[in-house]
Amino acid sequence: MIKHVKQILLQGFILIVGTVVLAQEGASTETQNISSNTASELASEDSTEIIQYEQFLRVIENTLEEYYKDYASTDAQTDSIIKALGYDDKDVPDFADSVYCMRLNALNEMSPFHLDCNDDVVSVIRFFAKKRRSFTSIVLGRSKLYFDMYEEKLAKHDMPIELKYLSVIESGLRPQVKSRAGALGLWQFMYRTGKYYGLNQNSYIDERMDPEMATEAACLYLKKLYGMYDDWNMALAAYNAGPGNVNKAIRRSGGKMTYWEIRPYLPRETQGYVPNFIAVSYMMTYHAEHNIRAREAKFHDFEVDTVCLKDGLHMEVIDSLTGWAVEDIKALNPIFKTTYIPKQTPMQCIQIPTAYVGKWIEMEDSIYALDSLIYESIPEKEKVAATHQTTTIHYVRSGQTLGHIASRYGTTVRNIMDWNNMRSTRLAIGQKLKIYTNGTPPKQQSNPTKKQASSTTYKEPTTGTLHTIRSGENLWVIAKDRGTSVEELKRLNPGLNYRDLKVGQKIRVK
């Protein structure tokens, strides 16, 4: 529907532009002998036409945006239901079991799923309606970026539209979320399963985090599971636990072939999986009746366009010239593991907010030039470290300082503070810190070998200008405070193990 309207508007636009061009061609023979004064006047008129042309495009874009907002928004309908029910902002409605069952039966009539209404399902719905209201609000907002694409993919494979809710219980519609078991992305693919369905990864990208590619793979996998069991609830159980565990449950149940019959024999998590799916399907449909509004989405699908890159780029450079923040670049392009977008054949394309498309076109050549200027001047060893970063989560233990942690991971206190938006060097036991490393393992806390011990003999200086190491300091911090360089400090302190500075230790700074 949206595409058809867009095509109609664009065809109208092309017709208007074509008419203007033909009119100009017809008039061209009459203007071949104009004077220079007349030419300058026409040049001025051309400038006015360019301004009018830009205004014309803005009108079209704004019209399309308003149309898409009306088309995509359910807020008006939600507001009217909430107003009709007379809810205040803080009301948390509750209903009789019969009401939940009546609504589920209405959903069931339009679905190939068995959306059964039983005590377990009603219990989970009540839990979501009271304790997971914020979650429902958030995923309703996030759904505005993904659900149209989900529905398009599911329709292509002739699969139930309700399967879009599976991604809600898998990831909360977060494409970069990773489970403790290592499952990743909107559809939570394990590495091997993802690879089997064509989701590859390398140092820069992980296709399990690509929304469209992962959704296509999920459709193929779910279609295969449905083909095995000829039952969508059983396919959901197999998606969660694996076909092996479902087959074991069938055997232990004495050959039963429906989810509710084999449920007692499934892993504990899978016993709650289908009830969770039914509850999420219910809440996403009847959220207004429960006085829940969608949290405002950062992006809607109609606010996103695509640009293709002719070379590798660093997101920081794009940010510096267009104002499109690195955080938002990664949010719309979660496939990238770092802030570097590698060059690929065919061209690597990225998603960009429509609000930045004009700026991108204006600054594109400058973006490539600046990226080349900055990163070609970096020594190769530093460039590798900058572009092959991986993320590590460090949990603070008793007695650790930022200096100790920075030394362990071969980085600086300032970097750790910037990565974690810290205003102070104070730490709490158990605090989670995000560390970007170049892929090498952190230093092990073990006794040094004889070779290490012999190579780190260092005598504290007694002459020159000395500095006493304080908590949280490293060479980078000291160099910055003293107006010198890290290399100069290393030259003044030969043999110094700068990765293991001790509080109270003295080093020469001049």
Side-chain angles (χ1 to χ4, degrees), residues 420-457:
N420 295 277
N421 296 318
M422 297 171 64
R423 296 183 179 180
S424 165
T425 57
R426 293 181 182 178
L427 297 175
I429 296 174
Q431 182 176 345
K432 185 168 70 173
L433 297 176
K434 185 183 295 184
I435 309 290
Y436 292 99
T437 67
N438 63 358
T440 56
K443 291 174 61 179
Q444 299 298 316
Q445 300 301 306
S446 58
N447 292 326
T449 62
K450 291 181 180 179
K451 184 176 180 181
Q452 289 173 326
S454 61
S455 64
T456 56
T457 54

Side-chain angles (χ1 to χ4, degrees), residues 96-141:
D97 289 1
S98 60
V99 175
Y100 294 123
C101 289
M102 178 186 69
R103 291 171 180 169
L104 283 175
N105 287 337
L107 291 177
N108 214 16
E109 287 295 319
M110 303 299 293
S111 172
F113 284 89
H114 303 297
L115 302 177
D116 305 79
C117 185
N118 54 43
D119 291 344
D120 289 332
V121 169
V122 170
S123 175
V124 177
I125 290 175
R126 289 186 182 280
F127 173 75
F128 271 86
K130 291 183 179 179
K131 305 293 186 182
R132 301 298 302 277
R133 297 173 62 81
S134 178
F135 172 80
T136 303
S137 176
I138 290 169
V139 295
L140 281 167

Side-chain angles (χ1 to χ4, degrees), residues 110-113 147 150-156 158-166 187 277:
M110 303 299 293
S111 172
F113 284 89
F147 271 13
Y150 285 1
E151 291 173 6
E152 184 179 358
K153 294 279 188 186
L154 291 165
K156 183 184 84 170
D158 195 23
M159 297 170 73
I161 295 298
E162 293 86 351
L163 283 169
K164 64 187 178 182
Y165 300 129
L166 181 61
W187 297 92
F277 174 81

